[in-house]
Amino acid sequence: MKRYLIMKDGTVYTGEAIGADGTVMGEAVFTTAMCGYMMTLTDPSYYGQLVAHTFPLIGNYGAIDDDAESEKPYLSGYIVRELCEIGSNYRKQEELDEFLKKNNIVGIAGIDTRALTRKIRSSGVMSAMITDSVKDLPEKIAQLKKFKIKGAVENTSCSEPQKLNSDGKYTVVLYDFGAKSNIERMLIKNGCNVIRVPYNTTAEEVLSYKPDGIMLSNGGGDPADNVGVIEELKKLIKSGVPMFGICLGHQLLALAHGFSTVKLKYGHRGANQPVKDVVTGRTFITSQNHGYAVKIDTVDPEIATVRFTNANDKTVEGIDYKNERIFTVQFHPEACGGPKDTEYIFGRFVNLMENNHA
């Protein structure tokens, strides 16, 4: 059955239907990751987005629940060049198309994803629609021009606190803004007891757990929309408890310190983003998924230093805060289905907590 991808600028791509039935709108983005599509599908940071893969064949090892980063997909739609109908892997539980249907994800295959990627790179991310009909095209485009992602953090966070384990050395409160499961797994692997809390947990509630450290997770949407969260983080900064932020958590801590964020033209999404440590001069290959960045010229040198920068566009990829036990990174050191070069950063967080007790 024919299916269409309609862009806000009026461009229409014709392909074939995959996944669930229906019409969906979202922000069209692309990821350059060549593997790990199960992680892409279940990363809550993709909330409200239509995700296109630049890699041409997706689904060749089927769907595997153990590879998921959350309980369900949060993206709005899925775009591929070719969907493999029969995956081959001993861990496969079902075909990828079955997974999409089961999770009500509307998708389109058979379009020129290279042309789509070039459009997004030149024009920037834009709202788009996956639909089975191009009737009333002007009305559909008018809808797209009004579209904006709302409630990303609220709709991907847990609803109540969860104590995940109790045999670690240090207690870490994990703020869930749409956290990938591997963040908690990496904390547990590094000897931490993890208490996962909702996005709207107050500073007083966090401190009532007597944490040795506070972890701020990844998440979707515009970081500046989270006004209430930012106010609570300002209180936690004053507490002196060591803090570590990833992706959205990195941006929120920057905003809490008075810095600014900016929306990137087409973001960084993939498993091959080069990041330079400006202290050591070493370059790492990282996994990333974000559409916003901290504005480098707003980072107050009296408060913090930029520790990592993107080797391609020189945007901020990490911040160390002076006179505070706080550091953050824009990339994903917990990357699963991606490079593991920066897993050592979790050890840095543990050392920060150890030194705080020394």
Side-chain angles (χ1 to χ4, degrees), residues 14-35:
T14 303
E16 59 190 39
I18 60 171
D21 296 331
T23 294
V24 290
M25 287 193 296
E27 183 182 62
V29 301
F30 65 86
T31 173
T32 58
M34 295 186 289
C35 63

Side-chain angles (χ1 to χ4, degrees), residues 47 150-158 176-178 198-200 218-223 226 229 248 252:
Y47 179 89
K150 296 179 181 178
V153 170
E154 294 91 324
N155 287 300
T156 55
S157 176
C158 60
D176 182 3
F177 304 127
Y199 76 98
N200 56 356
N218 62 292
D222 185 343
N226 300 283
V229 174
L248 181 64
L252 292 174

Side-chain angles (χ1 to χ4, degrees), residues 79-303:
I79 305 166
V80 300
R81 177 68 184 90
E82 180 182 352
L83 185 73
C84 182
E85 294 182 359
I86 303 176
S88 177
N89 189 283
Y90 73 98
R91 298 171 65 232
K92 184 185 79 171
Q93 293 164 298
E94 60 188 334
E95 302 302 344
L96 185 56
D97 194 45
E98 294 175 308
F99 176 85
L100 296 175
K101 286 182 170 70
K102 183 175 72 177
N103 287 280
N104 200 33
I105 299 300
V106 179
I108 183 172
I111 73 165
D112 187 344
T113 49
R114 183 178 181 184
L116 174 62
T117 301
R118 288 170 68 101
K119 171 175 282 294
I120 295 172
R121 281 180 61 91
S122 61
S123 301
V125 295
M126 66 178 77
S127 53
M129 177 186 295
I130 299 175
T131 179
D132 293 334
S133 172
V134 287
K135 291 181 180 179
D136 304 317
L137 187 59
E139 292 181 19
K140 288 181 168 66
I141 293 172
Q143 286 180 291
L144 290 172
K145 289 181 178 178
K146 296 177 183 178
F147 176 82
K148 187 181 187 300
I149 294 174
K150 296 179 181 178
V153 170
E154 294 91 324
N155 287 300
T156 55
S157 176
C158 60
S159 58
E160 57 185 27
Q162 305 166 2
K163 292 188 178 182
L164 302 177
N165 67 311
S166 59
D167 56 354
K169 185 177 181 181
Y170 298 107
T171 297
V172 173
V173 171
L174 169 60
Y175 255 117
D176 182 3
F177 304 127
K180 292 169 64 180
S181 295
N182 211 41
I183 292 178
E184 63 193 45
R185 287 194 291 263
M186 287 299 299
L187 288 170
I188 293 170
K189 179 181 176 181
N190 280 271
C192 300
N193 297 322
V194 181
I195 303 171
R196 189 170 183 162
V197 299
Y199 76 98
N200 56 356
T201 304
T202 66
E204 291 76 17
E205 288 172 316
V206 169
L207 295 175
S208 72
Y209 293 108
K210 298 183 175 10
D212 299 295
I214 300 169
M215 177 89 218
L216 276 62
S217 83
N218 62 292
D222 185 343
D225 288 344
N226 300 283
V227 178
V229 174
I230 293 167
E231 289 305 310
E232 296 306 314
L233 292 182
K234 289 179 181 178
K235 300 175 189 175
L236 290 173
I237 289 168
K238 296 177 182 177
S239 72
V241 177
M243 299 175 71
F244 173 26
I246 292 175
C247 197
L248 181 64
H250 155 82
Q251 298 161 4
L252 292 174
L253 275 170
L255 290 168
H257 281 89
F259 310 157
S260 300
T261 54
V262 61
K263 187 169 186 176
L264 300 173
K265 187 175 182 180
Y266 49 83
H268 301 148
R269 298 176 180 90
N272 52 0
Q273 290 286 331
V275 166
K276 182 178 181 180
D277 183 336
V278 299
V279 174
T280 66
R282 182 177 177 183
T283 297
F284 299 92
I285 301 301
T286 69
S287 178
Q288 300 193 18
N289 175 18
H290 63 100
Y292 291 81
V294 176
K295 292 180 68 175
I296 194 165
D297 58 355
T298 69
V299 178
D300 186 344
E302 296 295 319
I303 298 174

Side-chain angles (χ1 to χ4, degrees), residues 71-83:
E71 293 181 351
K72 64 176 184 177
Y74 286 97
L75 46 71
S76 292
Y78 203 46
I79 305 166
V80 300
R81 177 68 184 90
E82 180 182 352
L83 185 73

